[in-house]
Amino acid sequence: MPGPSFQVDPRCDRYCVVGNPIGHSLSPRIHQAFAEQTGERIDYRALLAPLDRFRETALEFFAAGGRGMNVTLPFKEEAWAFASPRAASAETAGAANTLWRDGEGRYHGDNTDGIGFLRDYLGNHGGSLQGQRVLVLGAGGAVRGVLGPLMKQRPARLVVANRTLSKARALYERFSPLGEISIYEYGALVGQQFDAVINGTAASLGAELPPLPAGILAAGAWCYDLVYAPEPTRFMRWGLECGAARALDGLGMLVEQAAEAFYIWRRVRPATGPVIELLRAE
Ligand code: ATR
């Protein structure tokens, strides 16, 4: 039976973000700000799922009247498997971060990470990816979420580097039918240059840095870390030390992916700029 965490104001529609760990998630704060701004009546909470009980947790939440769910680490692949039907973005990524139940009891799955990244990189920061030489670091779920939308921007070159080449190969199998993409080990990047380097490794979370060779940033290059942190990440510091024109974190992407989920659920598009500013100030 649903526990006390599901007891909410009955006038509000219920949403949550599920992950493990989940304590530090900014999503409840972001969706609360969207709700205040738009006048939508929602109750959005963080929900910890045991590592082996994502499916049960999701079913319980929806059975108790939950309308929609965001999904974060480490459950995005399981959320993809749980969802049917799935939007193309979730299908391409093999991962879902947004679920909702329709009137017929079907669990829809979408992935808003890629559109969130693009809205932040292109829209909020005024960047460009078209015709650029783009290097993406990592081959896990975070990278799978952004790669499809990134390829649609038609970069001049798209390279994925990963520590474990077998994982990069699996990524290549998935994405090469969609467009031009090459995979490398870090050491093999020596002598190449990029206009944008996007860090999708989990290295930043542990204050580590992927083993990037010197000299890979072209003049005016941008560095973007898909994670956010109150202080610049190790990767962002590396970028600035190597002469990057911009070194950005993923806070804007986090707010943008949330806004897209909010829109999917409520059909109302919140303004993201004030919420990004609010979180930076906090
Ligand atoms: P996520 O869903 O967050 O992407 P993941 O699927 O576990 O998590 O993928 C983590 C990615 O970070 C992987 O590409 C991993 O490299 P490996 O495939 O070689 O494991 C990468 N990663 C983690 N720590 C790293 C480090 N210290 N240096 C370089 N890459 C790292």
Side-chain angles (χ1 to χ4, degrees), residues 73 138-142 162-164 167 200-203 208 210:
L73 298 179
N162 198 47
R163 202 170 49 175
T164 312
K167 269 178 88 174
T201 70
E208 289 168 23

PDB file of all heavy atoms in Angstrom, residues 73 138-142 162-164 167 200-203 208 210, ligand 1:
ATOM      1  N   LEU A  73      19.084   8.921 -12.145  1.00  0.00           N
ATOM      2  CA  LEU A  73      19.998   7.798 -11.937  1.00  0.00           C
ATOM      3  C   LEU A  73      19.571   6.938 -10.759  1.00  0.00           C
ATOM      4  O   LEU A  73      19.149   7.489  -9.755  1.00  0.00           O
ATOM      5  CB  LEU A  73      21.414   8.323 -11.674  1.00  0.00           C
ATOM      6  CG  LEU A  73      22.055   9.122 -12.802  1.00  0.00           C
ATOM      7  CD1 LEU A  73      23.434   9.590 -12.374  1.00  0.00           C
ATOM      8  CD2 LEU A  73      22.130   8.302 -14.064  1.00  0.00           C
ATOM      9  N   GLY A 138      32.367  10.223 -22.741  1.00  0.00           N
ATOM     10  CA  GLY A 138      31.539   9.253 -22.023  1.00  0.00           C
ATOM     11  C   GLY A 138      30.632   8.496 -22.974  1.00  0.00           C
ATOM     12  O   GLY A 138      30.394   8.927 -24.112  1.00  0.00           O
ATOM     13  N   ALA A 139      30.147   7.360 -22.499  1.00  0.00           N
ATOM     14  CA  ALA A 139      29.304   6.519 -23.360  1.00  0.00           C
ATOM     15  C   ALA A 139      28.168   5.894 -22.552  1.00  0.00           C
ATOM     16  O   ALA A 139      27.656   4.844 -22.904  1.00  0.00           O
ATOM     17  CB  ALA A 139      30.155   5.437 -24.015  1.00  0.00           C
ATOM     18  N   GLY A 140      27.777   6.563 -21.463  1.00  0.00           N
ATOM     19  CA  GLY A 140      26.708   6.029 -20.623  1.00  0.00           C
ATOM     20  C   GLY A 140      25.361   6.651 -20.951  1.00  0.00           C
ATOM     21  O   GLY A 140      25.157   7.222 -22.022  1.00  0.00           O
ATOM     22  N   GLY A 141      24.461   6.536 -19.993  1.00  0.00           N
ATOM     23  CA  GLY A 141      23.085   7.001 -20.195  1.00  0.00           C
ATOM     24  C   GLY A 141      22.999   8.497 -20.465  1.00  0.00           C
ATOM     25  O   GLY A 141      22.185   8.939 -21.275  1.00  0.00           O
ATOM     26  N   ALA A 142      23.830   9.289 -19.789  1.00  0.00           N
ATOM     27  CA  ALA A 142      23.770  10.743 -19.968  1.00  0.00           C
ATOM     28  C   ALA A 142      24.084  11.094 -21.427  1.00  0.00           C
ATOM     29  O   ALA A 142      23.417  11.937 -22.043  1.00  0.00           O
ATOM     30  CB  ALA A 142      24.760  11.425 -19.030  1.00  0.00           C
ATOM     31  N   ASN A 162      35.654   7.496 -24.974  1.00  0.00           N
ATOM     32  CA  ASN A 162      35.322   6.817 -23.724  1.00  0.00           C
ATOM     33  C   ASN A 162      36.494   5.978 -23.260  1.00  0.00           C
ATOM     34  O   ASN A 162      37.294   5.500 -24.062  1.00  0.00           O
ATOM     35  CB  ASN A 162      34.080   5.941 -23.892  1.00  0.00           C
ATOM     36  CG  ASN A 162      33.471   5.580 -22.557  1.00  0.00           C
ATOM     37  OD1 ASN A 162      33.301   6.441 -21.710  1.00  0.00           O
ATOM     38  ND2 ASN A 162      33.139   4.311 -22.353  1.00  0.00           N
ATOM     39  N   ARG A 163      36.578   5.830 -21.922  1.00  0.00           N
ATOM     40  CA  ARG A 163      37.641   5.042 -21.299  1.00  0.00           C
ATOM     41  C   ARG A 163      37.552   3.586 -21.771  1.00  0.00           C
ATOM     42  O   ARG A 163      38.525   2.987 -22.137  1.00  0.00           O
ATOM     43  CB  ARG A 163      37.398   5.147 -19.786  1.00  0.00           C
ATOM     44  CG  ARG A 163      38.527   4.899 -18.897  1.00  0.00           C
ATOM     45  CD  ARG A 163      38.144   5.296 -17.484  1.00  0.00           C
ATOM     46  NE  ARG A 163      36.853   4.738 -17.055  1.00  0.00           N
ATOM     47  CZ  ARG A 163      36.345   4.863 -15.852  1.00  0.00           C
ATOM     48  NH1 ARG A 163      37.000   5.539 -14.927  1.00  0.00           N
ATOM     49  NH2 ARG A 163      35.191   4.340 -15.545  1.00  0.00           N
ATOM     50  N   THR A 164      36.326   3.063 -21.738  1.00  0.00           N
ATOM     51  CA  THR A 164      36.110   1.663 -22.109  1.00  0.00           C
ATOM     52  C   THR A 164      35.608   1.620 -23.549  1.00  0.00           C
ATOM     53  O   THR A 164      34.475   2.034 -23.825  1.00  0.00           O
ATOM     54  CB  THR A 164      35.071   1.024 -21.166  1.00  0.00           C
ATOM     55  OG1 THR A 164      35.426   1.347 -19.824  1.00  0.00           O
ATOM     56  CG2 THR A 164      35.001  -0.476 -21.345  1.00  0.00           C
ATOM     57  N   LYS A 167      32.171   0.004 -24.632  1.00  0.00           N
ATOM     58  CA  LYS A 167      30.943   0.783 -24.411  1.00  0.00           C
ATOM     59  C   LYS A 167      30.759   1.819 -25.514  1.00  0.00           C
ATOM     60  O   LYS A 167      29.646   2.099 -25.947  1.00  0.00           O
ATOM     61  CB  LYS A 167      30.969   1.469 -23.041  1.00  0.00           C
ATOM     62  CG  LYS A 167      30.343   0.592 -21.969  1.00  0.00           C
ATOM     63  CD  LYS A 167      30.409   1.255 -20.613  1.00  0.00           C
ATOM     64  CE  LYS A 167      29.217   2.156 -20.332  1.00  0.00           C
ATOM     65  NZ  LYS A 167      29.256   2.675 -18.938  1.00  0.00           N
ATOM     66  N   GLY A 200      30.010  14.108 -20.621  1.00  0.00           N
ATOM     67  CA  GLY A 200      28.901  13.279 -20.133  1.00  0.00           C
ATOM     68  C   GLY A 200      29.391  12.115 -19.305  1.00  0.00           C
ATOM     69  O   GLY A 200      28.655  11.153 -19.117  1.00  0.00           O
ATOM     70  N   THR A 201      30.625  12.203 -18.803  1.00  0.00           N
ATOM     71  CA  THR A 201      31.117  11.124 -17.931  1.00  0.00           C
ATOM     72  C   THR A 201      30.672  11.388 -16.500  1.00  0.00           C
ATOM     73  O   THR A 201      30.302  12.507 -16.142  1.00  0.00           O
ATOM     74  CB  THR A 201      32.661  11.025 -17.924  1.00  0.00           C
ATOM     75  OG1 THR A 201      33.184  12.172 -17.240  1.00  0.00           O
ATOM     76  CG2 THR A 201      33.215  10.968 -19.335  1.00  0.00           C
ATOM     77  N   ALA A 202      30.758  10.331 -15.710  1.00  0.00           N
ATOM     78  CA  ALA A 202      30.427  10.484 -14.292  1.00  0.00           C
ATOM     79  C   ALA A 202      31.647  10.984 -13.518  1.00  0.00           C
ATOM     80  O   ALA A 202      31.602  11.109 -12.305  1.00  0.00           O
ATOM     81  CB  ALA A 202      29.941   9.148 -13.753  1.00  0.00           C
ATOM     82  N   ALA A 203      32.736  11.294 -14.238  1.00  0.00           N
ATOM     83  CA  ALA A 203      33.974  11.700 -13.568  1.00  0.00           C
ATOM     84  C   ALA A 203      33.773  12.945 -12.708  1.00  0.00           C
ATOM     85  O   ALA A 203      34.281  13.022 -11.595  1.00  0.00           O
ATOM     86  CB  ALA A 203      35.072  11.941 -14.603  1.00  0.00           C
ATOM     87  N   GLU A 208      36.763  14.038 -10.590  1.00  0.00           N
ATOM     88  CA  GLU A 208      37.849  13.518 -11.429  1.00  0.00           C
ATOM     89  C   GLU A 208      37.754  14.138 -12.821  1.00  0.00           C
ATOM     90  O   GLU A 208      36.786  14.818 -13.142  1.00  0.00           O
ATOM     91  CB  GLU A 208      37.744  11.998 -11.549  1.00  0.00           C
ATOM     92  CG  GLU A 208      38.081  11.276 -10.262  1.00  0.00           C
ATOM     93  CD  GLU A 208      37.689   9.816 -10.322  1.00  0.00           C
ATOM     94  OE1 GLU A 208      37.584   9.275 -11.440  1.00  0.00           O
ATOM     95  OE2 GLU A 208      37.484   9.235  -9.249  1.00  0.00           O
ATOM     96  N   PRO A 210      38.422  13.112 -17.027  1.00  0.00           N
ATOM     97  CA  PRO A 210      38.825  12.114 -18.020  1.00  0.00           C
ATOM     98  C   PRO A 210      40.235  12.456 -18.515  1.00  0.00           C
ATOM     99  O   PRO A 210      40.614  13.630 -18.543  1.00  0.00           O
ATOM    100  CB  PRO A 210      37.788  12.295 -19.143  1.00  0.00           C
ATOM    101  CG  PRO A 210      36.630  12.985 -18.500  1.00  0.00           C
ATOM    102  CD  PRO A 210      37.209  13.841 -17.416  1.00  0.00           C
TER     103      PRO A 210
HETATM  104  P1  ATR B   1      25.431   7.790 -16.739  1.00  0.00           P
HETATM  105  O1  ATR B   1      24.094   7.162 -16.871  1.00  0.00           O
HETATM  106  O2  ATR B   1      25.515   8.905 -15.747  1.00  0.00           O
HETATM  107  O3  ATR B   1      26.014   8.195 -18.045  1.00  0.00           O
HETATM  108  P2  ATR B   1      27.005   5.400 -16.708  1.00  0.00           P
HETATM  109  O4  ATR B   1      26.107   4.751 -17.682  1.00  0.00           O
HETATM  110  O5  ATR B   1      27.527   4.608 -15.555  1.00  0.00           O
HETATM  111  O6  ATR B   1      26.355   6.670 -16.059  1.00  0.00           O
HETATM  112  O7  ATR B   1      28.228   6.016 -17.542  1.00  0.00           O
HETATM  113  C1  ATR B   1      29.240   6.692 -16.877  1.00  0.00           C
HETATM  114  C2  ATR B   1      30.240   7.198 -17.923  1.00  0.00           C
HETATM  115  O8  ATR B   1      31.256   7.945 -17.251  1.00  0.00           O
HETATM  116  C3  ATR B   1      30.950   6.090 -18.654  1.00  0.00           C
HETATM  117  O9  ATR B   1      31.189   6.517 -19.974  1.00  0.00           O
HETATM  118  C4  ATR B   1      32.261   5.959 -17.879  1.00  0.00           C
HETATM  119  O10 ATR B   1      33.325   5.426 -18.614  1.00  0.00           O
HETATM  120  P3  ATR B   1      33.484   3.826 -18.765  1.00  0.00           P
HETATM  121  O11 ATR B   1      32.491   3.388 -19.777  1.00  0.00           O
HETATM  122  O12 ATR B   1      34.878   3.644 -19.205  1.00  0.00           O
HETATM  123  O13 ATR B   1      33.221   3.268 -17.397  1.00  0.00           O
HETATM  124  C5  ATR B   1      32.528   7.398 -17.580  1.00  0.00           C
HETATM  125  N1  ATR B   1      33.433   7.617 -16.443  1.00  0.00           N
HETATM  126  C6  ATR B   1      33.155   7.460 -15.129  1.00  0.00           C
HETATM  127  N2  ATR B   1      34.209   7.823 -14.383  1.00  0.00           N
HETATM  128  C7  ATR B   1      35.187   8.218 -15.237  1.00  0.00           C
HETATM  129  C8  ATR B   1      36.516   8.724 -15.087  1.00  0.00           C
HETATM  130  N3  ATR B   1      37.068   8.899 -13.878  1.00  0.00           N
HETATM  131  N4  ATR B   1      37.199   9.050 -16.209  1.00  0.00           N
HETATM  132  C9  ATR B   1      36.664   8.896 -17.429  1.00  0.00           C
HETATM  133  N5  ATR B   1      35.422   8.415 -17.630  1.00  0.00           N
HETATM  134  C10 ATR B   1      34.693   8.095 -16.571  1.00  0.00           C
END
